[in-house]
Amino acid sequence: MRDAELVEIVRSGFREGVHRGSVAVLGADGTLVYALGETGAPLFPRSSNKPLQGLAMLRAGLDLPDDADVALACASHSGETEHVERALAILGKHGLGEDALGCPAELPSHEASRNALLAGGGGARRAAMNCSGKHAAMLATCVQLRWPTEGYLDPAHPLQVAVRETVEELTGERVAATAVDGCGAPLFAFSLAGLAHAFLALVSAEPGTPERRIADAMRAYPYLVAGAGREDTRLMSAVSGLLCKAGAEGVHAAAVPGVGAVALKVTDGAARARLPIMVGALRALGVPASPELDALAEDPVLGRGEPVGVVRLLPDVFGRSSG
């Protein structure tokens, strides 16, 4: 895949390495204003597609009265207490237990929660897996629509057919490939440009629509979407109106109503390169600087536990190529 140099790692004044990737940046009208690397080739968006999966559930008829539950349905959470308890509550309201979840058992990624769980004699569990909210919502959808809960992760299941149709509509593309995501759910391939268009559609939708409800719920509850100190929590708290969702293997997508949208992929999958690129792209779109946003633009490189360098966007990245 053709890509571009985007982020540099500098240690003690010496460039130690470079992260390459691709970025699609859309203006408020959906025009491609920056295209770096390969923005039109299909890729797996990983968890950046969760808002689209959540939208498919709402469109199918899922009734979740609490917007906090809608946010959790689109989350890659840290397995903190509120995340786990809310996922279990969604299941309980629909007569299901934790064993109905099709995602694998994991320990919380949140360090304090993980340590507390282990200290108390607990271990890995499905509800602590970062996708448990999405899976709980998928099962709730099946119960409410009288679809079978068994096999709900099969691409041919009515739920997953609805997800595929929603993905194709919002991206404006046909699904190029289907795979199994880390949580076990079907994963559909499409382009970065398509991912950016989908996010722009969510934030630009009229109030009262399922699209707008997804965007509003995630923006109202960023902690439930990610967790304490996580990049999506911090980004949505730093920029008014911003909707964003990170995905594994270096994927990230965001949109601001009336401003535009960004979708990016770090070729080597490095999560540390996502925020410098995203902040740079948002600045290129004209999102105002703020101390909170500026704090996300660079990541320190440590030596003996102290900052000795930085991970940062290369100069003039968004002056190289325009659509």
Side-chain angles (χ1 to χ4, degrees), residues 202-254:
L202 294 175
V203 301
S204 303
E206 291 296 321
T209 61
E211 293 85 353
R212 182 64 174 271
R213 189 178 182 208
I214 290 291
D216 287 349
M218 293 176 67
R219 292 181 293 194
Y221 296 96
Y223 167 76
L224 292 178
V225 173
R230 298 280 298 282
E231 60 188 312
D232 284 335
T233 305
R234 296 173 68 192
L235 265 173
M236 284 192 279
S237 299
V239 180
S240 177
L242 175 73
L243 170 70
C244 67
K245 185 68 192 72
E249 296 300 329
V251 180
H252 209 177

Side-chain angles (χ1 to χ4, degrees), residues 255-272:
V256 182
V259 175
V262 181
L264 65 91
K265 159 73 176 174
V266 183
T267 304
D268 63 8
R272 68 177 178 178

Side-chain angles (χ1 to χ4, degrees), residues 37-315:
E38 181 53 78
T39 61
L43 51 73
F44 289 125
R46 303 301 299 271
S47 285
S48 291
N49 73 350
K50 283 179 177 172
L52 305 185
Q53 292 170 314
L55 174 60
M57 291 185 255
L58 293 186
R59 284 182 166 185
L62 172 63
D63 181 15
L64 287 179
D66 191 340
D67 278 353
D69 289 338
V70 174
L72 191 74
C74 303
S76 295
H77 64 71
S78 301
E80 297 166 64
T81 299
E82 185 175 355
H83 300 135
V84 173
E85 290 181 349
R86 188 169 287 276
L88 292 174
I90 293 172
L91 291 170
K93 290 173 185 175
H94 293 85
L96 300 170
E98 186 172 358
D99 59 350
L101 294 171
C103 56
E106 290 187 1
L107 292 169
S109 61
H110 182 249
E111 184 177 7
S113 299
R114 182 173 64 251
N115 291 343
L117 178 66
L118 294 173
R125 58 184 301 187
R126 295 180 185 183
M129 197 269 173
N130 79 89
C131 301
S132 67
K134 177 182 77 176
H135 283 256
M138 285 182 168
L139 287 162
T141 303
C142 292
V143 171
Q144 292 183 13
L145 273 67
R146 301 184 184 278
W147 289 339
T149 56
E150 291 293 327
Y152 77 96
L153 298 179
D154 189 320
H157 189 282
L159 171 64
Q160 305 304 338
V161 172
V163 172
R164 180 181 181 126
E165 291 173 349
T166 298
V167 164
E168 291 186 334
E169 178 185 336
L170 263 71
T171 62
E173 300 176 9
R174 297 294 299 274
V175 166
T178 302
V180 180
D181 210 343
C183 67
L187 179 64
F188 303 120
F190 47 87
S191 74
L192 284 177
L195 181 60
H197 278 290
F199 269 64
L200 190 59
L202 294 175
V203 301
S204 303
E206 291 296 321
T209 61
E211 293 85 353
R212 182 64 174 271
R213 189 178 182 208
I214 290 291
D216 287 349
M218 293 176 67
R219 292 181 293 194
Y221 296 96
Y223 167 76
L224 292 178
V225 173
R230 298 280 298 282
E231 60 188 312
D232 284 335
T233 305
R234 296 173 68 192
L235 265 173
M236 284 192 279
S237 299
V239 180
S240 177
L242 175 73
L243 170 70
C244 67
K245 185 68 192 72
E249 296 300 329
V251 180
H252 209 177
V256 182
V259 175
V262 181
L264 65 91
K265 159 73 176 174
V266 183
T267 304
D268 63 8
R272 68 177 178 178
R274 289 187 302 211
L275 275 176
I277 302 168
M278 180 59 73
V279 172
L282 292 173
R283 286 171 170 169
L285 280 172
V287 171
S290 69
E292 295 79 11
L293 186 61
D294 292 346
L296 301 174
E298 297 182 349
D299 197 30
V301 171
L302 304 181
R304 202 168 56 187
E306 298 294 330
V308 297
V310 67
V311 180
R312 64 190 179 196
L313 191 71
L314 286 163

